[in-house]
Amino acid sequence: MKKRVLSGIRATGRLHLGNYLGAVRGMLELQNPPTGGPNYETLYMVADLHAITTPYDPKKLPQNTREVILDYLAAGLDPEKSILFVQSQVPEHTELAFLLSSVVSIARMQHLPTYKEKVTQYPKENTMALLNYPILMASDILIYKADKVPVGIDQEPHLEVAREIARKMNSKFGTDFPEPTRFATKGEYIPSLTGEGKMSKSIEGSYINLTDDLNTIKDKIARVPTDSGKGVSVPKEGGVKVLFDLIGLFLGDERRDKYQNQYTKSGIKYSELKPELAEAIYKELGPIQKRREELVNDPKYVDGVILDGAKKARKIASRTVGEAKKKIGLL
Ligand code: AQP
């Protein structure tokens, strides 16, 4: 049997470069392995249930869910090669999550850095759904017995929880869940354009969307805070570091090293560097945007992909839930 891969993105708005570089590029790599390399069965979902763990607009959720599917397809996820589905259309995820919650302590969930950050961000929305987020994520992965999970580094604490749950379930009930590991990409952490923290959908001014046109990208890059362009050493934080990171990812390490050398010697001109970077980003996003437009004009095709994905995913998921229920003593 082929090893499985599972990943997902919350339906909280349009995808940004962080989601693309940290998650989608990894999903693509595992969907399209090099000849002779290991071959996986890849499952990629839109995490709409995870989207309701933080404040959201119920009227916008269906559209946001569809936007992620469109971004997936436009970026190259292929329903002929991967199972693409919407999380809530596979209700077995929530059923298994409840069963898994029986081996997780409340204290373990409360101490997670990701939980604490969200509570600080939304102090009035400290809900059970938010506390349960990592258990639902463990269920998303374990229900397919997935080994590899292409996600950004911010998700590592959640993967640790998934591994702990797999171990506890296996030792307590004799299930056979594998311990999943993260599949990391070069862009596993994309900093915010403001120079502070990570690029994030919920932080205005922090991101570039996959759907941004060249002028918007130029404007956003132009606003990244910089310095005089010269210093004794290459900055390890702030806007200049963001620019160097993005140059490495879109123009290559050589180009980044060249600019970094100039920074400590003759100095660099941001009026040249910034437009060059914006053009390079758009060069990669332009074709994705073109494919996206075609997909928007073919809603029947997109509906079919979603329907078919849910059917295929449910087939695997219901088998795992049945196995787990038997071991737990419920069947
Ligand atoms: N800045 C980032 N760098 C690298 N990877 C990132 N990811 C998110 N931000 C970065 C990765 O994208 C995938 C989807 O993440 P998510 O579903 O958790 O989406 P999110 O957390 O809602 O993304 P945001 O932008 O951080 O949203 P908010 O502001 O709502 O919390 C994951 O693989 C994640 O690692």
Side-chain angles (χ1 to χ4, degrees), residues 111-138:
H111 288 126
L112 277 172
T114 42
Y115 169 71
K116 288 184 190 164
E117 275 159 29
K118 288 287 181 216
V119 173
T120 311
Q121 199 177 354
Y122 309 108
K124 290 190 182 141
E125 307 286 339
N126 187 0
T127 63
M128 284 306 299
L130 184 63
L131 190 66
N132 273 317
Y133 186 117
I135 305 178
L136 181 57
M137 181 166 156

Side-chain angles (χ1 to χ4, degrees), residues 97-112 115 128 130-136 138 157 160-162 164-166 168-169 172:
F98 184 78
L99 305 180
L100 301 181
S101 72
S102 70
V103 298
V104 185
S105 79
I106 297 167
R108 176 70 178 101
M109 295 295 96
Q110 281 173 325
H111 288 126
L112 277 172
Y115 169 71
M128 284 306 299
L130 184 63
L131 190 66
N132 273 317
Y133 186 117
I135 305 178
L136 181 57
E160 188 52 46
V161 170
E164 277 171 33
I165 292 179
K168 282 191 186 161
M169 290 293 294
K172 194 167 175 186

Side-chain angles (χ1 to χ4, degrees), residues 40-52:
Y40 299 97
E41 184 175 7
T42 45
L43 294 111
Y44 300 130
M45 63 171 197
V46 183
D48 57 347
L49 289 171
H50 284 287
I52 71 168

Side-chain angles (χ1 to χ4, degrees), residues 8-10 12 16 18-19 22-23 118 133 150-155 187-190 198-203:
I9 294 186
R10 296 206 303 157
T12 46
H16 55 69
N19 302 137
K118 288 287 181 216
Y133 186 117
V151 284
I153 200 163
D154 57 324
Q155 295 296 324
E188 63 178 11
Y189 179 86
I190 302 302
K198 72 159 195 152
M199 188 174 283
S200 198
K201 279 179 214 135
S202 56
I203 300 172

